[in-house]
Amino acid sequence: MVKLAVIQSGQQHSKMRLRLATALATVALALVGSAVSTATTLIEVPTATTVSNVSVTSGKAGTVRVFVDSDTRPILETDAARVELAFPSLRHVGGAFFVLDASAALVGVQAPHLETVAGDMAFANLPGLERIAVPELRSVDENLLLRLLPWLADVAFPRLLAVSRTLAVDSCGALETIELTALRTIGLHLDLNLLKQLSALVLPQLRETRYDFLVRNCRRVAIIDAPLLRLVGEDLVIDGLPELTTLELPRLERVGEDCEVVQCLSLPALSLPRLMSVTEDLELRFNPRLRSVHLPRLQSVGEDVQIENEDRLLAFDAPVLCTIGEDLEVVASRTLSTLRLPALRLLGGDLLVASCASLEAIELPALQEVQGSVSVYNNRVLMSVDLARVVSILGAGLEPRGRDDVLDGIFVFAFNDKLPTLTLPALRRLGVGATLILENAALQSLAFPALRELAFRRTRAAPVFAVVDNPELVSIVLNAGTPEPARFNLNAGNDADICPTSPDVHPGDCPQDSWFCAQCGLGGDLGATQAQALLRLALCSGGSAGNNADSVIDSGDGVDGPDADADEGGSDSWLRAFCAGVGACAPEAPRAGQYEAWIDAHGCLDLSLMLGGAATAAGSVTLSPGDTRGVGVGVIKCVVAGATLSRIDGCLSIIHSNAERIDLSGLRSIEQSLLVEGNARLRVLRAPQLRAVEKGELDLAYNGGIGADFFVELPAFQKAPIGVRIAFNLGGMSLVLSQLGKGKSSVGTVIIAYNRGLLTVDLLALSRAPEIFIAGNDQNVAINMPSLRHVFAGDLAIASSSALQRVAAPRLERVHEDLELFFLASLPSLELPKLVAVEEDAKVHACAALMSLALGSLSAVGEDVELYDCWSLHVVDLSALTRVEEDFEAYLLHSLPMLSLPTLVSIGEDLICFGNPSLRRLLAPRLRVVAAREGGGMLIENNAKLQQFGLPSLRVLGNRTARLCPRERRGAPSQNIIGAEQTCDGSAFVELYSGATRVPAAGQRPLVVAHHSSLRDFQLGRSSMSGVALRTNVWVDFNADLAHLSLGLDGTGSLLDAAYFFARRDPGVAGFAPLPLSAPLLQREVASASSAFCVAASKPRYATTVPAPGLREELCNATLRCDYELATGDGRCSLERVPFMCAVGDPQGCTDAYYLYARENAFDFEENAVYLAAAPQFSAFRLPMRPPTGASVRCIA
């Protein structure tokens, strides 16, 4: 290695620009002969021990430039072919340490004595970086970011104690190890994403993350070990880790929001022995090897408990769980035999237990109240249900309904073939829209002996009570005081001798004047067909608004499709079939002889031999561990269709076998579904002649093993009307499905997700589908859909891949709901040249390598346009976009220089553009209306290079109404936030950016233009002869160079319904200085908008080093005179001593305010995006430890 030391004469910290010319480098490298092509030049950068900031970036012609202390000229610039920078004297950085967007020549950065960084520390978009060395680094007071570092293999922070905001590492394709052995506290988020080579995450000293702990889409991570972690302030998410086998969090006591373990394909067990509370959701989904869950101290879950598609789960142990704030959902968990929660007393939402093939018992002996619905269906071996202490089932749950005539909650027991009795001895109140007990083949007795009230919580719709099509049902016991429902049937399809009775009278007698007396031998006034239609409504739409129960009763029709998203992975295949009008799999086809006669000469199970040589199987064929007809699936090594079998009039199911090969050559059609699931040794699935599953779905899931190839060959397959699900398959997967959807063949939802080794997805013939979800295929490099024109019922989502480089859908014209691309680390460009309309959201986010987004024909978006957190995005083509019905959001687009919207006319809600450091121009010359649909506004903030912003055609901004908060932030710290009780109307957002402490609840989100260092001209409605109707509040602040502000209030413009109007230059630079306003009408209009609020006279750059000022500048009070003087710039308001909203020394208060208000309420932010441009008052500095609060949870009997 050639080492060049740059020596600085005079004072060490004097500014000096050094140019290392190409000629000098050539002479130096020549000294080492022919090996110079790989030599690295080490350059020592002279600095003081303490500097304000450091920035390393690219110059012209690929040079590497170094800036120190905000100087406009680099202290150093080099064009060496390979360079490593050293900062030998540097110990403290008072602001940011940025190494961003440098050329491939930069291969290393070292600061051997650096101890503290008071701002952000970021290494991003460095195509040649191989080495980062900061061995003495102890603290980073804002964000620590590593992103788009393709050659960085190892990184160590051995003495790092604290990161006060977010520690994020993503899209680093070669990174194998991260050393964080001393790290104790993370102020906001730990976020590791799309690290395809990382093998382990070990955090031996970590005590808490104040917000999220996120590890996602890291395909080789086998171990996560944080032995001292006690508190996760918000979300704990372990998602998309196919090789994870060990998750060790032995001291974790509290999770402040969601706890999710999802799509960990190799995890055998989950134990959180000290976890006491989860404030929001506990989610366990799609972990096919998970056998046990052990939560011995868990007492409270604030929202949902979801256990879905846990293919091998045997035990869920939560013996002291006493409260679930919302839903308990156990769905499609094939091997779970008992659901037992012995301490559960309160369920704040719904109870859903469905499609659990081995479930024999539901034991909830302490449960007293269900505030939502109860749905227990398709549990074919369920034998007992213990709900002995349930007193009330309220039906409506937590979500208010929008209409009075819809189904308001349900009580459903259906398709539980072996359930003999259903008794709720304590049930007094049933407040559901429909009680539906149908199709339980073995049900003999039903008893609600204490039921005295059928009532609704929020609607006036009359209840329905149906107990029909239970052929063995001979006994129904109701209370003599049970009120008469509006429509009912207790007879049809039950035992012919059934006669309801009451425990209050002699058995067999019917109470006098009781409505259910008439049911003896009668069918009631609700037909069985109507009851079945209501069941379809209940299960397939959840009884949601828009499905009129009365119209369903009148017509006898159901609804189409289950109310579920494809991105949930298709959690219940039975429900999809039921809602598509396809019944359960047909009964088993007759078999010939015994098992020994079904084995061919190669040792394979021959289906033709098993069916006696029939060409058509007269029913279903099932090979599974539960098969009692002589098939030993444990010893099956291969399965073949054989010489004669060409059709199956039912389902073909091969589940949890040891087969290594399935060859269905000769089989041409299956009437219902093809289900191949949980075959861990499967290497080959072939069906070369199979064209269709005529009424069902193709479901291939949980097959194969890590380290082995898995070939799926379906070259002729065309039709699957319910859908195609190829998901959670391991190994090096090869998929041939090129004819899917050919011609007029119907295809349902297409899910190709979390197949660990899948390289390409080729859907060459598919022209239309109701919904497409392709995600989590972590080695997938290309998606080809050349014929696709229309996604006609749901979303098109492509997500979660570290390898994907090509998405081709050149003919796509329309997406019925969302178009979404996210977590794609390697995708360089996306072009959809014929896409005209997206009827809900168009979202592209967290695609770090994406440089070009071309949607040149897109003219209308039915909800939001969201472009954010795409570091490399340089070109956006939305040249035909005319209408966005809700928000237009463009933020955290690090490299975007210009955003042009030449044809955009209307934005229904908010216009949001912030944190885009390279953005110079934002053009929307025809935009006439912003936020006319609701009390929205405009946020233009922290765009460092933005020089001019104008909407010359604007006519209307804002509306008089405001949307309420979407939900309460239960468990969110709020003790340090002034005005935490306010509604989500934007006043809190002004508090956040200004330091204001008494901004009134205003009813609208405001127009905010804040924190710009280059903006000189801001104009609205310049070309509008009639002016702008400004129907919102205005806050223009912290814009140091802003010289001209025109808000279109000339002519006949108007300022309506505003609680405040404020504009000034940056008070941190020049103090209070009113801006010149082009607003002749303002002094008259603002008189009706008088209110009091206070702001800080100055903002400290760093809360740890600058004392709090004693006085706050009250810029406006409740008098007309002060408002008038402020508006015209003729006077000043009085001073008043007021407290800080975010007090110095209380940085957590600032952080809480930022997340509680700005990111969830005032505007639609994303919590986990690293915001390097954030104003300093949002940062959390040197946070003290906060003890977990989970111990305060108590269960009351």
Side-chain angles (χ1 to χ4, degrees):
M1 174 184 290
V2 176
K3 180 176 180 180
L4 299 181
V6 180
I7 307 299
Q8 192 174 24
S9 61
Q11 292 185 346
Q12 186 181 16
H13 194 54
S14 65
K15 295 297 187 291
M16 180 178 184
R17 183 173 184 269
L18 302 176
R19 175 82 178 180
L20 299 180
T22 302
L24 178 60
T26 301
V27 170
L29 293 175
L31 298 176
V32 297
S34 61
V36 297
S37 61
T38 58
T40 299
T41 302
L42 178 66
I43 300 178
E44 294 184 352
V45 181
T47 68
T49 58
T50 300
V51 301
S52 296
N53 50 67
V54 174
S55 177
V56 180
T57 188
S58 282
K60 295 180 179 179
T63 61
V64 176
R65 311 174 86 186
V66 181
F67 297 83
V68 175
D69 287 342
S70 302
D71 196 354
T72 58
R73 295 168 60 84
I75 190 174
L76 182 148
E77 184 169 2
T78 176
D79 58 4
R82 284 175 57 87
V83 62
E84 180 167 342
L85 298 177
F87 297 83
S89 302
L90 188 60
R91 292 182 180 272
H92 307 285
V93 179
F97 189 113
F98 283 159
V99 186
L100 308 176
D101 307 309
S103 72
L106 182 65
V107 298
V109 175
Q110 55 175 281
H113 303 294
L114 179 63
E115 297 179 6
T116 63
V117 177
D120 295 306
M121 188 174 198
F123 297 82
N125 195 26
L126 304 171
L129 192 71
E130 301 172 3
R131 169 175 147 85
I132 298 171
V134 284
E136 298 297 323
L137 184 67
R138 286 169 168 76
S139 67
V140 177
D141 285 346
E142 294 195 22
N143 300 292
L144 174 56
L145 172 67
L146 306 180
R147 173 176 292 169
L148 283 172
L149 310 175
W151 293 105
L152 184 68
D154 305 284
V155 66
F157 301 100
R159 298 197 177 186
L160 182 64
L161 298 174
V163 177
S164 295
R165 291 191 69 198
T166 294
L167 194 166
V169 186
D170 67 79
S171 307
C172 299
L175 190 64
E176 297 179 3
T177 62
I178 302 173
E179 183 182 345
L180 296 164
T181 51
L183 185 65
R184 296 171 62 91
T185 300
I186 298 173
L188 296 184
H189 313 297
L190 171 68
D191 190 357
L192 306 185
N193 196 1
L194 296 164
L195 305 173
K196 61 184 179 182
Q197 300 296 333
L198 186 68
S199 59
L201 176 63
V202 179
L203 301 164
Q205 298 299 321
L206 185 66
R207 267 71 168 177
E208 67 171 346
T209 61
R210 294 298 176 86
Y211 286 80
D212 298 333
F213 186 110
L214 311 171
V215 186
R216 298 171 292 182
N217 305 305
C218 299
R219 69 188 186 204
R220 293 189 176 175
V221 168
I223 298 171
I224 297 176
D225 186 6
L228 302 182
L229 182 66
R230 298 175 60 200
L231 170 68
V232 176
E234 288 194 354
D235 296 339
L236 170 64
V237 179
I238 310 298
D239 186 353
L241 310 184
E243 295 191 17
L244 184 70
T245 58
T246 303
L247 177 60
E248 293 288 344
L249 303 171
R251 296 193 182 184
L252 182 65
E253 297 179 9
R254 178 174 178 264
V255 177
E257 289 192 358
D258 296 338
C259 179
E260 303 178 16
V261 180
V262 182
Q263 287 139 192
C264 297
L265 306 187
S266 303
L267 186 67
L270 174 64
S271 178
L272 300 173
R274 295 193 181 184
L275 181 66
M276 290 185 285
S277 69
V278 176
T279 305
E280 292 187 3
D281 296 337
L282 172 62
E283 299 183 19
L284 306 173
R285 295 184 286 117
F286 302 107
N287 304 290
R289 302 292 190 270
L290 186 65
R291 294 182 177 273
S292 65
V293 177
H294 184 53
L295 307 170
R297 297 189 183 183
L298 181 64
Q299 299 176 29
S300 173
V301 176
E303 293 186 3
D304 298 340
V305 173
Q306 297 179 342
I307 304 170
E308 296 185 7
N309 277 85
E310 297 299 346
D311 200 50
R312 286 178 170 81
L313 185 64
L314 299 175
F316 179 80
D317 178 28
V320 298
L321 178 61
C322 61
T323 302
I324 298 175
E326 293 187 8
D327 301 340
L328 171 59
E329 301 179 1
V330 183
V331 177
S333 294
R334 187 183 302 275
T335 56
L336 186 67
S337 62
T338 301
L339 173 62
R340 177 172 171 77
L341 296 173
L344 184 64
R345 290 175 171 83
L346 174 65
L347 184 58
D350 299 338
L351 172 63
L352 170 62
V353 184
S355 301
C356 296
S358 301
L359 188 67
E360 298 179 358
I362 298 173
E363 299 178 5
L364 305 174
L367 184 63
Q368 299 176 12
E369 181 173 279
V370 179
Q371 294 181 349
S373 298
V374 173
S375 301
V376 180
Y377 60 84
N378 191 42
N379 303 291
R380 300 293 178 168
V381 299
L382 182 64
M383 296 287 290
S384 66
V385 175
D386 184 355
L387 298 172
R389 296 183 66 185
V390 173
V391 173
S392 62
I393 299 172
L394 301 181
L398 300 178
E399 298 298 327
R401 303 299 184 189
R403 290 167 44 180
D404 290 333
D405 59 349
V406 298
L407 263 175
D408 190 6
I410 56 176
F411 182 91
V412 169
F413 272 75
F415 303 104
N416 302 295
D417 292 345
K418 295 188 178 181
L419 183 66
T421 63
L422 178 60
T423 302
L424 278 74
L427 182 65
R428 297 176 185 175
R429 183 184 186 193
L430 189 57
V432 299
T435 298
L436 304 170
I437 301 173
L438 286 76
E439 302 278 1
N440 301 287
L443 187 65
Q444 298 178 19
S445 66
L446 172 70
F448 297 158
L451 183 62
R452 292 181 176 272
E453 185 177 357
L454 296 177
F456 286 96
R457 193 174 178 184
R458 289 190 174 93
T459 74
R460 297 190 299 270
V464 173
F465 201 104
V467 183
V468 301
D469 294 329
N470 305 287
E472 301 296 323
L473 186 62
V474 296
S475 172
I476 298 178
V477 177
L478 298 175
N479 189 278
T482 302
E484 181 177 347
R487 307 288 291 270
F488 56 86
N489 190 323
L490 306 183
N491 180 278
N494 300 326
D495 187 275
D497 296 327
I498 191 170
C499 187
T501 187
S502 167
D504 303 326
V505 298
H506 188 275
D509 292 341
C510 193
Q512 294 296 319
D513 301 323
S514 174
W515 62 274
F516 53 82
C517 285
Q519 289 293 294
C520 294
L522 299 175
D525 59 355
L526 179 73
T529 301
Q530 295 168 324
Q532 292 284 359
L534 279 174
L535 181 64
R536 191 174 303 278
L537 170 67
L539 298 187
C540 299
S541 68
S544 59
N547 289 294
N548 188 309
D550 292 336
S551 66
V552 170
I553 292 172
D554 293 339
S555 67
D557 294 331
V559 293
D560 294 328
D563 186 18
D565 294 329
D567 58 7
E568 295 177 357
S571 60
D572 189 348
S573 59
W574 179 89
L575 184 61
R576 292 196 300 275
F578 176 77
C579 295
V582 178
C585 290
E588 288 293 303
R591 302 183 180 184
Q594 298 299 317
Y595 171 70
E596 293 77 10
W598 305 339
I599 305 301
D600 69 6
H602 302 285
C604 297
L605 179 71
D606 188 318
L607 299 181
S608 293
L609 295 176
M610 187 176 76
L611 298 169
T616 299
S620 297
V621 176
T622 301
L623 307 178
S624 73
D627 192 348
T628 60
R629 290 170 298 280
V631 178
V633 294
V635 298
I636 294 175
K637 301 301 182 184
C638 48
V639 178
V640 298
T644 61
L645 183 63
S646 62
R647 177 179 171 83
I648 296 175
D649 286 343
C651 298
L652 173 58
S653 304
I654 304 175
I655 298 170
H656 287 185
S657 79
N658 285 324
E660 298 178 2
R661 180 169 60 92
I662 299 173
D663 189 343
L664 302 178
S665 297
L667 184 63
R668 296 182 177 275
S669 66
I670 297 173
E671 183 178 19
Q672 292 182 297
S673 296
L674 172 59
L675 308 172
V676 180
E677 297 183 356
N679 302 287
R681 298 184 180 182
L682 189 62
R683 302 295 177 261
V684 177
L685 170 62
R686 297 183 68 246
Q689 287 83 38
L690 183 63
R691 291 179 175 271
V693 287
E694 295 174 357
K695 297 179 181 179
E697 70 175 332
L698 172 66
D699 192 348
L700 313 178
Y702 312 116
N703 301 296
I706 292 175
D709 291 332
F710 178 37
F711 297 94
V712 177
E713 299 177 12
L714 302 168
F717 190 80
Q718 299 178 13
K719 181 180 180 181
I722 294 179
V724 171
R725 185 178 77 139
I726 302 174
F728 311 106
N729 298 293
L730 301 178
M733 188 174 181
S734 173
L735 175 63
V736 178
L737 201 62
S738 56
Q739 298 301 305
L740 182 67
K742 183 178 181 180
K744 297 183 179 180
S745 300
S746 61
V747 177
T749 296
V750 176
I751 300 169
I752 303 176
Y754 300 96
N755 300 288
R756 185 183 180 279
L758 182 62
L759 296 179
T760 63
V761 176
D762 294 319
L763 302 175
L764 305 182
L766 186 66
S767 62
R768 63 194 311 270
E771 192 164 17
I772 299 175
F773 181 66
I774 303 174
N777 306 297
D778 59 350
Q779 297 185 41
N780 179 208
V781 297
I783 298 172
N784 298 309
M785 300 180 288
S787 303
L788 184 65
R789 294 179 180 272
H790 191 190
V791 179
F792 61 84
D795 302 339
L796 171 57
I798 299 173
S800 301
S801 173
S802 57
L804 187 64
Q805 298 182 32
R806 172 182 166 82
V807 175
R811 297 184 181 183
L812 180 64
E813 298 174 0
R814 186 176 296 272
V815 177
H816 182 72
E817 292 187 0
D818 295 345
L819 169 67
E820 187 165 11
L821 292 93
F822 60 96
F823 294 159
L824 303 174
S826 302
L827 185 68
S829 63
L830 176 68
E831 182 178 9
L832 300 173
K834 294 190 176 182
L835 182 65
V836 174
V838 176
E839 297 185 25
E840 291 191 3
D841 295 334
K843 300 180 182 180
V844 180
H845 57 95
C847 297
L850 188 69
M851 294 182 287
S852 173
L853 176 64
L855 306 175
S857 297
L858 182 63
S859 62
V861 176
E863 293 186 3
D864 298 341
V865 173
E866 299 182 16
L867 309 176
Y868 63 90
D869 202 21
C870 295
W871 185 278
S872 304
L873 190 62
H874 193 78
V875 176
V876 175
D877 180 3
L878 294 171
S879 55
L881 186 63
T882 61
R883 176 174 54 85
V884 177
E885 293 294 341
E886 294 187 4
D887 298 340
F888 186 99
E889 306 179 14
Y891 57 95
L892 304 186
L893 304 174
H894 177 82
S895 303
L896 188 68
M898 180 177 73
L899 182 58
S900 178
L901 306 166
T903 61
L904 185 62
V905 174
S906 172
I907 297 174
E909 296 183 5
D910 300 324
L911 171 59
I912 296 175
C913 180
F914 74 90
N916 305 298
S918 301
L919 187 67
R920 296 177 182 272
R921 304 178 71 190
L922 175 57
L923 306 175
R926 298 185 183 181
L927 185 61
R928 294 169 60 86
V929 176
V930 175
R933 290 185 54 184
E934 65 164 35
M938 187 184 300
L939 170 65
I940 312 297
E941 182 269 332
N942 255 326
N943 303 291
K945 295 183 180 180
L946 187 64
Q947 298 177 352
Q948 183 175 358
F949 176 77
L951 302 176
S953 301
L954 191 71
R955 296 289 302 278
V956 177
L957 173 61
N959 196 302
R960 304 182 185 191
T961 62
R963 179 174 57 190
L964 294 177
C965 300
R967 60 182 173 88
E968 293 181 1
R969 288 286 303 271
R970 285 184 291 272
S974 60
Q975 63 272 21
N976 299 318
I977 304 171
I978 293 177
E981 73 285 352
Q982 293 180 355
T983 57
C984 308
D985 60 9
S987 58
F989 187 72
V990 171
E991 294 180 12
L992 182 69
Y993 273 88
S994 64
T997 58
R998 294 207 306 269
V999 175
Q1004 306 99 337
R1005 293 195 291 273
L1007 163 62
V1008 174
V1009 183
H1011 294 284
H1012 295 99
S1013 56
S1014 302
L1015 184 64
R1016 297 189 60 80
D1017 190 8
F1018 185 90
Q1019 299 186 33
L1020 303 181
R1022 181 174 57 199
S1023 63
S1024 174
M1025 297 302 293
S1026 59
V1028 176
L1030 194 63
R1031 296 171 177 168
T1032 189
N1033 305 294
V1034 177
W1035 190 280
V1036 182
D1037 202 2
F1038 292 91
N1039 302 291
D1041 292 337
L1042 187 61
H1044 183 215
L1045 175 67
S1046 176
L1047 299 179
L1049 299 178
D1050 305 277
T1052 60
S1054 59
L1055 180 66
L1056 304 173
D1057 304 303
Y1060 53 84
F1061 181 97
F1062 177 62
R1064 67 174 176 180
R1065 289 192 180 94
D1066 186 346
V1069 175
F1072 170 65
L1075 289 168
L1077 299 175
S1078 300
L1081 294 179
L1082 188 57
Q1083 63 186 30
R1084 182 178 77 243
E1085 298 287 352
V1086 82
S1088 63
S1090 60
S1091 295
F1093 53 93
C1094 303
V1095 301
S1098 63
K1099 272 291 176 188
R1101 179 66 182 93
Y1102 296 105
T1104 54
T1105 58
V1106 179
L1111 294 177
R1112 300 290 293 268
E1113 190 174 4
E1114 187 177 352
L1115 294 173
C1116 198
N1117 63 25
T1119 67
L1120 172 62
R1121 184 186 67 82
C1122 191
D1123 277 320
Y1124 176 84
E1125 290 175 346
L1126 172 63
T1128 59
D1130 293 332
R1132 295 175 63 89
C1133 298
S1134 62
L1135 297 177
E1136 180 183 359
R1137 182 183 296 273
V1138 294
F1140 274 96
M1141 178 192 72
C1142 300
V1144 173
D1146 181 23
Q1148 187 64 40
C1150 294
T1151 300
D1152 292 339
Y1154 183 39
Y1155 282 85
L1156 184 63
Y1157 285 147
R1159 289 187 179 255
E1160 291 226 6
N1161 300 332
F1163 290 91
D1164 296 329
F1165 294 115
E1166 290 299 315
E1167 293 187 22
N1168 301 318
V1170 176
Y1171 189 4
L1172 296 178
Q1177 65 262 38
F1178 301 150
S1179 302
F1181 298 92
R1182 295 183 175 86
L1183 301 174
M1185 279 288 292
R1186 177 174 61 190
T1189 60
S1192 64
V1193 177
R1194 291 290 184 270
C1195 290
I1196 301 174

